[in-house]
Every structure is written in C-alpha cells, then in structure tokens.
Amino acid sequence: MPELLSVKNLKIEATSYPPGEPPKVVTLVEGVSFDLQKGKVLGLIGESGAGKSTIGLSALAYGRGGCRIIGGEVLLNGRDILKLGRSGINSVRGAQVCYVAQSAAAAFNPAHKLGDQVIEASVRHGIVTRDEAEKRALYLFRVLGLPNPETFGDRYPHQVSGGQLQRAMTAMALCPNPELIVFDEPTTALDVTTQIDVLAAIKHAIEETHTAALYITHDLAVVAQVSDDIMVLRHGKTVEYGTTKQVIEAPKEDYTRALVSVRQTKRDEAADQSGTLLKIEHVHAGYANGFKVLHDVSMHLPKGQTLAIVGESGSGKSTLARVITGLLPPSEGRITFDGKELPKALKGRTNDELRRIQMIYQMADTAMNPRQTVRDIIGRPLSFYFSMHGARKTERVKELLDQIEMGPRFLDRYPAELSGGQKQRVAIARALAARPELILCDEPTSALDPLVAEGILNLLLRLQEETAVSYVFITHDIAIVRAIADSVAVMHRGRLVRFGPKSKVLSPPFDDYTDLLLKSVPEMEIGWLEKVLKTRRMESAGN
Amino acid sequence: MTGPVLTDGTAGEQPRSADLSGVPAKPNPTGADGEIGGTFWRRFVFRRPLVALIVQRLGLSVGLLFAVSLMIFGGIEALPGDFATTYLGQSATPQAVENIRKDLGLDRPWSERYLNWLGGAVKGDFGTSWASKNSVSEQIGNRLGNSLFLAFFAALISVPLAVGLGMLAVQFRNRMPDKIINVISLAAISLPEFFIGYLLIMFFAVKWGVATFPATVYESMSFTERLSAIALPVATLVLVVLAHMMRMTRAAILNVMSSAYVETAELKGLSTFRIIARHAAPNAVAPVINVIALNLAYLVVGVVVVEVVFVYPGMGQYMVDAVTVRDMPVVQACGLIFAAFYIFLNMAADILAILANPRLRHPR
C-alpha cells in the first residue's frame, strides 16, 4: 500500500534569544522518521518540549515562532512539500492537509461567524462552491453531534462552549475533505466528560471520511483509544515506535514503561477522620453582578489530612477556594478554622489567620513576580510573617529549598530560568515558608507533564507526613484523587453532589453525576472508548 | 455553555470585555431604593450589554463635562490678579475698580455666577468678552473654524500616513525600513513642537523661501491660499502626532499577527493579503481607534503653542491673548470647548471600540 505521508530523518532548529547572552541555536527535533498510510491514525506522544507539535506542523511545512526545518524530507503522496514555494505550499495547506489546534477558543477568529470560518478554506481553494461547502459543513456538524446544526454556523466563537468549539474546529479541518489532519492535543483543554464526547466525535468522523490523522497528545490513555500506531518522543528524538497494542501492552523502553504506569499510585485514606481543622457550613456565594456560583455547600477536613474537591470547569470549586481564603466573602454560611469562626472577608482577618492558610495555584508562572529571584520569592513570607532578615532568612530559604528537593544553587535564579515543575516547587516552598496548617492547592499539577506532576504529588505527600499540614486539593482528575485524598467532595454546577471518605465516595452506589465523571476518565486500555460508549447507548436505550 | 460566565475564562480574553464585568459592579448602591434600580440595571446589562455600555459612556461623558466646567470656573476664581486692575493699569483707583467689578457682576457670589455662566454655555451663549465687549460665541465661532481647518488637514495627512507606515513597519519587522521609520518618528516626537516649528520656518521659509510665514489666514483668502499658508503648521503637527499613532498601529497589528487565529488562517493556506485584511485587521481596530482619537483630540486641543509660533488666528492664540489680559469669559469658554472636544473624541473612540467587539455586539 502506498504511503500517504512519509517523513524521513527530520531535523528542526530554532534560534533562542536568552537575555544578556548571544543568540543560541537549539535543535528541537532530530532524526525522526515515520510513515502513515491512507485512513490510518498515528499517535505522537511525549511531554512538553518533546517536539511533537513541531513534528505535526512539519506535515504542513510550517515552523511556529521561528522554527526552521533544516533537514530531511516530508513526502506527501511522494512529493516533498518542504521544497514547494509559498504558493505551492498554500495549495496544500487547508486543502490536502488540515490542522486542529489545542485551544480552539484561541484558534477561531473572534470577529467572524463559525460557519464562515469552517468553510473558508474549502471555498478559497476552489474545492467546492459556497453552497456545497455549506451543505458539507451542515453534514459535519451533524456527524460531530453539535447542537442545532442548522444554525450552529451563524454563531460567533464566544457564543458556544469549549467542547463545541473543539468539534467545530474538527469540522473546519474535515470540510475541505483533506487526506490528512493533524490533531494537536484536541481534547487537552476540555473537561473529562466533554473530552470523551469530543474524542468519540473525532474518531467517528475519521472513520466516516477515511481521513488519515496525526494525533498529538501527552496522554497515553487518550491516544490508545484512537490511533493505530504510536510514536513516543522525548527531547526531539524517537524513543519508541510501534503499533498501539505493542506500545501499550509490551513497551520496550523504560521511558515508555514509566508513561504507561504513571498515575497508578493509590493511597489508603486515613482511618480516623473525626477531628476537624476546617469546617464549611451552608456556604452560598456569588459575584457582584448577581451571578450565584455556590449553593449551600458544606464540608469539613480533619487535621493533617487531604480533602479533594473534584469537579469540572464551572462547578464552583475554585470559587470555594476563594471563599475559604476570604478573597470572595460568602453571602451566607460560615467557615470555622481550628474551632474558631473565620471573618468572612480578607480585610477582617488577622495576620496570623492569614498565615495559617496558604495557597498554591495552577499557573505557578503567573503567581510569581518574574523580576524576583527564588530567594526573594520564598523569603517574602519569612520577613512578612516572622520578621526574618539577613543570614537567618537565607538559612531558612535554603532549608525550604532542601525540603522541595531543589538545593541552594537555585537561590538566585529567576522564575524564567526554572522548568514548569521547578516553578511549582518554588510555589510550594513559598506556601510552606509561612508554616501554614492548611494549604489550598488549586489544580497545582494540571498544567504539568504526567511524570513531573507525579513528582509534585509525591512531594506534597511527603511534606504532609513531615509537617502534618492539611490540604484542600482542587482537581478535575480522578486519578489524583485516588492518589492523595482522604476525603472527597464532588461538585457540580455550584452544588455539593457527594461528600465523604474517599472509599465511600468512589465506590457504588453512585449518583448519576459521579458515575458519569468516573466513567469518563480514560483508561490505559485499548477499546475502552468503545466499551464506555456502548454502555452509554445501552443505558439510554434502557431509559 | 454550562459554567458560570465569570469563572471559565470566557470573559477574560479581550481587554474590552473586562468592562463587562466592571459595569454591573458600579451602579450598585446598597440603599433600599438602590437595590431595585441596581437589579434593573444588572438585568439590562446582561441582556443588552452593548446598549448598556454605550449609555454608560454617554452618561460618563456628560458627567465629566460638568465636572470639568466646575474645575475651570473654580480654577479661574482661584487665579491671582484681577481684570479690573489689569485693565485700568495706572489709573486703578479703588472706586474705579469697584465700579468695573460691579459692571461685570463680580460682586455677586461665585455659585450664582457659575450657574448663570453654565446656563448660558448650555445654550451656546458664553457671554461677552470683558476686553472687547463683543460676544464670545461669535468670536470663537471664527477662531474655532480656523483651528478645525488646521486640525482637519493635519489629521488628513497624519492618520493614513501613520497607519500605512505602521503596516509597513510590520511587513519589514526588525529589518531596515522598520528601524528607519522608528528612529525618524521617535526623533520627531522627542523634539518640542515649537522647536520643530522654528526649524521648519528657518529652512522652508527663511533659507529656501518655498513656504509662507507667518501662517495668518484672512477672510479674503482663497482656499488654495489658505492651504499654502497652513503648510508649515500642518507639517509641524503631523510630525508631532505621527510617531505615537504609527507605533501603536505597529504594536496592535503585531499583537494580532502572533495570535492563534492568524496561525489558523495561515494553516488554511490563505494569501497574506486575505490574512491581514480579513483576519488581522478587524481585531486590531479597537486599539488603533483609541490612539487615533487621542491624537485627534491633541490636534484640536494641543495646538496652542503651534498657533502662537506661526501666528495663526485659531482658538489657541485667542485663549493665550485672553489669559494675558485676564479676559475670563473668553478663557472659560475656550477651556470648556477644548474639554468638550477632548471628551467627545475619547467617548467616540470608546464607543467605536465597543462596537468593534463581537462579544458585545452578539451577546450569548
């Protein structure tokens, strides 16, 4: 069978401009080769910086942000698209090869209607007339399960949800009837319950249209559901390349094995959950415009333990964290900390009350001043809460750096000189510096690669053992809940759906929402998606 | 969409839409009556955010204008010196000063005079000049026409030039043409305008004799004569406002060109022209409009120095003359008109930027 896409010995470089240093040439991808046949799906998997997006874009002969393809061949139907001129490549892009970006919300132009954007490439390339393109778009909206397909195209990007946008982006890629689609993390930004729908829609659409695809993701469990072959990448080089079955069930390389077994840590809950550090009673909260986010939420957390709050975006879990910290005073209800009621608003709290509750954010990047060194960042709570200065302060900062397994050589680094995982560690050290009794962790690992995230989780668990600190851990990821929680609160649309010890919350009988949530988490098992969809269909038929 | 609007990030992506969340918070007094009004306004904001925002901008502008009128009047009250003493000079006996003050109504309380003045100003009557005894409105009508004539031609040249150069700079980003455009425009903005004015006069009028100076225009002049008279002041103004607009255009377009949706357009294989015209331009409009309006306002309001340098009979010179003789009705009128222009142009820019935002034009 002839190859549709054949990439040979690809080499990609970029020039980086570190501040205060001469420009550096960095090799992003080296010696990568693969073949893709018509109608097949190849999964590219690896952590951030592995070069998977860069490789995916090379199928469109495109280098993002100054990347240059300097070696190798990209043969599409036997023709090297790297050698085509500007107009030559433009007739390939959007016609033979299409691209689905990670964030459809950013990839759609906010100024134009979705329908116009979906058919733009087909019409512009003269593949079909406008009428035919509109008909095809309608067909694709139906195949992808979008609501009101007849009028969906008249809406603007900001008028539909993230999951719908991601499906619209897939429709946009499928519309010109291309031979190849590059999916770049199409479900990463979505909630699990949405992800499964989009995943199913993409898989169904690929099968319907016999389009070949490159599927890029960092989640092995996701790629196992859609691809025929898998290529594992690290630092721009191929680690392992084989059929999906072989890579998932019998990985040859250590790195692949680590990826397969990641997120399988489980911890037993604390036996005694009687004592109480934090108690939330009948809390209602909303924003100034009258939008009510939390309805009658109650839960509690024993000393030295972890309460996981699970929910999707919009469930109100981050709002609850803001209420606990006092950033958003609740309209009703009360919060008791260590037996004493906390003043509702931040302004009313004493320094000591502030000190005892610290926070870690999802984006360590934006939660740190880029112009302060690690020493300043960690040292700030020391001088603020404990009036520490000079050598004593430096000593304590070094101690904290040891605790987060980083060491004193990081003292004078700026956040920009740290990796994502290191930044999150510094953020943890900053929280620890205040010697808090409770740390609110707002999705601290969801922006990190799986292996790095696991390191952070283990660090948090170790710190809990050493310092008996309690965590409220906000997450959308059930695997994390299994790994770290003692008790679990499931939230949905601002209401508490389920609360109790982990073993009870995560075992049947379930309520409908928890059931859906648990079933939507991809498992590292080929055919899992079909199985779930089948049970869903049977259930809806049964109803 | 299932989630709450404010937490899932949909409101945070465009700077303008931050206004959406800002609006409902403001008209929210906590009194019993205020609650009802607040709820109505809130509901209105959710249903018709566009109309609500425009109504709010209009209201703000009117309020601002009143505040400015109060400040102008108060500021002039607080000024040292007095028209009567300046006017009478050597012959200022206490009795003569008292008489003049009485004639001008200065013996009445300031609040009464303020309300009188404001009442007239709303109807377009700014009273009579103390120095010339003529109607201020009539005199200003002429002068304002001249100032607007100057500003109009300066805008006509500078706005397209700035936007064009900005686009050119984007096209050749970080290469020679971009750098040259940047250096020249920066040099022009760094020099004080009177200095540029005198430089132009020295070279074009004195040394080479290709332009006319002074730039005074009369009733009897033909249109072409007027144009040639204002060539140098227009050139000065263009040089002063060009850099700011050019650099903002460049930044706005560059910002949009690096966005994900322009990448999407490129990956659709569209032509460069279509990418810029259809995908980049509509999203770069708002910031560019803002900076253009700011500079247009400057062209009307900030011309005082240029008019004096070129002896041009516009509002600026009129105001400066009035200040020297303490002719307060004229100073007040000029100040208020300048403020009105400034506020109006900024409000227009705000409203255009709001209209350019699809999130507000097409609410969920």
Side-chain angles (χ1 to χ4, degrees):
Chain A
M1 198 171 175
E3 312 293 351
L4 169 69
L5 179 74
S6 185
V7 170
K8 292 194 173 118
N9 216 4
L10 195 65
K11 185 172 184 184
I12 301 175
E13 276 184 3
T15 313
S16 73
Y17 300 88
E21 285 171 51
K24 251 194 316 207
V25 175
V26 192
T27 305
L28 296 178
V29 174
E30 199 172 8
V32 169
S33 307
F34 59 84
D35 295 310
L36 184 61
Q37 290 168 347
K38 269 191 196 332
K40 295 279 180 191
V41 179
L42 169 66
L44 298 178
I45 181 151
E47 53 195 47
S48 55
K52 42 194 201 304
S53 290
T54 314
I55 294 169
L57 286 168
S58 72
L60 294 112
Y62 184 82
R64 183 183 276 164
C67 295
R68 296 176 304 273
I69 304 172
I70 57 158
E73 292 176 324
V74 179
L75 304 174
L76 186 71
N77 290 320
R79 188 170 64 141
D80 190 352
I81 59 168
L82 298 181
K83 298 209 167 65
L84 300 173
R86 167 95 199 176
S87 64
I89 191 63
N90 272 354
S91 66
V92 173
R93 290 177 186 165
Q96 286 172 279
V97 187
C98 290
Y99 180 73
V100 177
Q102 171 171 3
S103 167
F108 272 110
N109 192 326
H112 299 295
K113 288 179 185 171
L114 286 169
D116 292 341
Q117 299 191 56
V118 165
I119 63 170
E120 186 179 22
S122 323
V123 175
R124 281 276 132 187
H125 288 294
I127 298 166
V128 285
T129 64
R130 205 186 155 82
D131 278 354
E132 285 165 344
E134 274 167 6
K135 263 183 217 143
R136 183 163 165 81
L138 179 61
Y139 160 75
L140 288 169
F141 291 157
R142 280 214 180 95
V143 170
L144 289 161
L146 284 164
N148 307 321
E150 290 80 14
T151 55
F152 185 80
D154 293 332
R155 308 175 81 178
Y156 282 83
H158 68 273
Q159 293 174 317
V160 306
S161 73
Q164 290 168 6
L165 271 184
Q166 210 67 46
R167 276 178 271 178
M169 183 106 202
T170 307
M172 185 157 85
L174 284 164
C175 191
N177 212 354
E179 292 170 275
L180 172 66
I181 297 182
V182 179
F183 290 96
D184 194 350
E185 306 248 13
T187 62
T188 306
L190 303 175
D191 284 320
V192 271
T193 51
T194 320
Q195 162 170 291
I196 186 169
D197 291 334
V198 174
L199 211 55
I202 288 177
K203 186 165 180 158
H204 178 58
I206 290 175
E207 281 164 4
E208 281 281 294
T209 54
H210 306 292
T211 308
L214 281 179
Y215 197 100
I216 297 163
T217 177
H218 68 275
D219 192 338
L220 203 50
V222 165
V223 85
Q225 309 311 321
V226 289
S227 62
D228 300 293
D229 292 331
I230 289 179
M231 176 180 257
V232 182
L233 294 154
R234 192 180 197 195
H235 304 321
K237 296 197 178 80
T238 311
V239 174
E240 188 161 354
Y241 178 32
T243 63
T244 301
K245 195 173 164 58
Q246 180 254 306
V247 171
I248 300 285
E249 287 170 8
K252 288 188 200 126
E253 299 294 322
D254 288 344
Y255 180 67
T256 318
R257 268 196 286 276
L259 281 182
V260 172
S261 62
V262 80
R263 291 156 45 119
Q264 290 186 356
T265 31
K266 276 180 199 169
R267 196 185 71 139
D268 290 333
E269 66 198 41
D272 178 23
Q273 301 200 3
S274 48
T276 308
L277 176 69
L278 177 76
K279 194 166 186 183
I280 300 166
E281 291 166 287
H282 306 292
V283 160
H284 295 248
Y287 288 100
N289 58 17
F291 197 93
K292 215 168 164 203
V293 186
L294 293 178
H295 307 264
D296 195 18
V297 174
S298 304
M299 56 185 80
H300 59 89
L301 165 64
K303 259 181 203 164
Q305 298 190 10
T306 302
L307 164 66
I309 303 180
V310 209
E312 310 188 324
S313 59
S315 62
K317 53 192 197 303
S318 291
T319 306
L320 185 58
R322 286 170 61 87
V323 169
I324 297 171
T325 54
L327 287 169
L328 180 74
S331 54
E332 281 172 59
R334 53 189 221 144
I335 295 166
T336 320
F337 187 76
D338 205 7
K340 216 175 121 217
E341 188 176 342
L342 279 178
K344 284 182 177 167
L346 197 61
K347 276 186 196 158
R349 300 193 182 173
T350 62
N351 264 0
D352 200 51
E353 280 168 335
L354 294 178
R355 178 189 65 77
R356 295 167 81 181
I357 303 179
Q358 294 292 313
M359 194 151 180
I360 309 171
Y361 301 88
Q362 177 174 9
M363 295 290 173
D365 257 342
T366 49
M368 280 181 209
N369 187 336
R371 296 194 180 272
Q372 287 186 345
T373 59
V374 168
R375 181 201 298 268
D376 298 332
I377 292 169
I378 302 180
R380 174 78 187 137
L382 294 177
S383 34
F384 182 73
Y385 291 119
F386 306 112
S387 315
M388 280 194 195
H389 294 286
R392 235 177 99 227
K393 184 161 124 184
T394 309
E395 222 23 63
R396 178 74 182 126
V397 172
K398 280 186 189 158
E399 251 176 65
L400 286 162
L401 279 173
D402 279 340
Q403 272 191 307
I404 55 164
E405 299 153 10
M406 277 174 68
R409 68 200 165 92
F410 287 96
L411 267 179
D412 292 305
R413 300 249 190 121
Y414 287 93
E417 297 169 297
L418 303 174
S419 71
Q422 288 168 342
K423 276 180 218 166
Q424 200 54 276
R425 281 168 191 262
V426 170
I428 292 171
R430 175 173 63 182
L432 279 181
R435 296 192 185 273
E437 281 146 71
L438 173 66
I439 300 183
L440 301 176
C441 312
D442 190 355
E443 304 249 15
T445 58
S446 60
L448 302 173
D449 290 312
L451 292 176
V452 180
E454 193 162 61
I456 297 282
L457 290 181
N458 288 332
L459 173 69
L460 287 171
L461 288 176
R462 210 199 71 219
L463 292 171
Q464 188 165 47
E465 272 170 31
E466 287 172 11
T467 62
V469 65
S470 308
Y471 298 125
V472 168
F473 201 103
I474 293 165
T475 181
H476 64 271
D477 191 339
I478 299 287
I480 291 179
V481 176
R482 291 209 171 95
I484 61 150
D486 296 297
S487 47
V488 180
V490 180
M491 295 200 50
H492 184 49
R493 299 195 181 180
R495 286 173 205 280
L496 186 68
V497 177
R498 205 172 163 89
F499 172 69
K502 175 166 68 178
S503 54
K504 274 217 183 106
V505 169
L506 296 187
S507 48
F510 293 120
D511 55 282
D512 288 352
Y513 179 71
T514 310
D515 189 43
L516 176 69
L517 197 64
L518 289 175
K519 276 191 185 151
S520 303
V521 181
E523 278 171 33
M524 202 80 73
E525 179 192 325
I526 299 166
W528 165 83
L529 182 63
E530 281 82 0
K531 219 164 68 191
V532 173
L533 293 176
K534 214 162 142 192
T535 49
R536 269 203 199 175
R537 268 195 294 276
M538 274 158 51
E539 275 166 19
S540 60
N543 291 342
Chain B
M1 193 78 206
T2 50
V5 185
L6 282 163
T7 51
D8 63 9
T10 45
E13 279 167 304
Q14 287 205 346
R16 269 290 151 202
S17 47
D19 288 350
L20 243 183
S21 51
V23 172
K26 259 180 236 162
N28 189 20
T30 38
D33 300 338
E35 269 304 285
I36 298 160
T39 329
F40 170 76
W41 178 245
R42 261 189 225 152
R43 249 188 240 143
F44 187 69
V45 167
F46 265 119
R47 214 165 310 140
R48 312 287 299 271
L50 191 67
V51 183
L53 274 176
I54 290 176
V55 167
Q56 196 209 22
R57 286 294 184 283
L58 286 172
L60 272 178
S61 299
V62 173
L64 209 56
L65 204 54
F66 275 105
V68 167
S69 75
L70 201 61
M71 282 173 72
I72 291 174
F73 199 86
I76 282 170
E77 277 305 292
L79 273 184
D82 173 54
F83 172 74
T85 28
T86 320
Y87 181 74
L88 293 170
Q90 294 290 333
S91 56
T93 62
Q95 187 55 46
V97 169
E98 196 53 38
N99 284 344
I100 289 187
R101 288 181 61 89
K102 206 161 207 169
D103 279 353
L104 298 175
L106 287 177
D107 51 342
R108 279 175 291 158
W110 78 271
S111 54
E112 190 188 329
R113 279 180 288 132
Y114 170 71
L115 288 177
N116 272 344
W117 171 67
L118 197 65
V122 168
K123 283 180 266 167
D125 174 19
F126 290 103
T128 44
S129 158
W130 293 348
S132 68
K133 308 290 179 214
N134 287 328
S135 153
V136 176
S137 310
E138 229 165 77
Q139 283 180 313
I140 282 184
N142 245 333
R143 299 287 188 133
L144 187 61
N146 284 343
S147 274
L148 289 180
F149 186 69
L150 189 64
F152 174 76
F153 281 98
L156 198 66
I157 295 173
S158 62
V159 172
L161 194 63
V163 173
L165 283 177
M167 286 184 170
L168 205 69
V170 170
Q171 188 84 29
F172 296 97
R173 177 171 24 148
N174 294 337
R175 303 219 299 266
M176 236 348 146
D178 182 25
K179 285 177 183 161
I180 293 173
I181 290 171
N182 256 319
V183 167
I184 293 181
S185 60
L186 263 187
I189 207 176
S190 310
L191 294 173
E193 51 213 285
F194 66 86
F195 185 71
I196 296 179
Y198 285 132
L199 271 188
L200 291 178
I201 292 169
M202 185 170 99
F203 285 105
F204 288 92
V206 179
K207 285 210 170 158
W208 302 328
V210 289
T212 49
F213 177 81
T216 315
V217 290
Y218 311 100
E219 286 292 324
S220 54
M221 279 174 124
S222 75
F223 184 66
T224 41
E225 278 171 335
R226 278 169 188 254
L227 280 191
S228 94
I230 64 166
L232 287 186
V234 163
T236 310
L237 284 173
V238 166
L239 283 175
V240 171
V241 297
L242 190 66
H244 192 197
M245 287 192 282
M246 197 283 300
R247 292 170 74 84
M248 274 306 289
T249 308
R250 178 181 182 272
I253 296 182
L254 273 185
N255 188 20
V256 171
M257 287 302 275
S258 63
S259 65
Y261 51 83
V262 167
E263 184 183 277
T264 306
E266 268 183 79
L267 292 175
K268 280 180 182 174
L270 304 178
S271 67
T272 311
F273 175 76
R274 190 173 167 88
I275 291 173
I276 291 179
R278 187 169 164 82
H279 289 279
N283 296 294
V285 164
V288 175
I289 286 180
N290 260 320
V291 72
I292 286 179
L294 206 64
N295 280 288
L296 288 185
Y298 178 81
L299 283 179
V300 179
V301 175
V303 292
V304 178
V305 177
V306 173
E307 285 182 2
V308 173
V309 167
F310 287 95
V311 203
Y312 185 80
M315 285 276 286
Q317 213 189 28
Y318 187 47
M319 186 171 172
V320 171
D321 290 346
V323 169
T324 47
V325 296
R326 301 272 189 284
D327 192 350
M328 295 318 169
V330 176
V331 178
Q332 285 168 0
C334 289
L336 195 63
I337 287 172
F338 281 154
F341 262 99
Y342 206 84
I343 291 171
F344 170 77
L345 280 167
N346 276 293
M347 179 194 74
D350 260 10
I351 289 179
L352 281 176
I354 290 169
L355 287 175
N357 184 348
R359 284 164 192 275
L360 297 174
R361 251 185 301 134
H362 310 278
R364 290 159 169 273

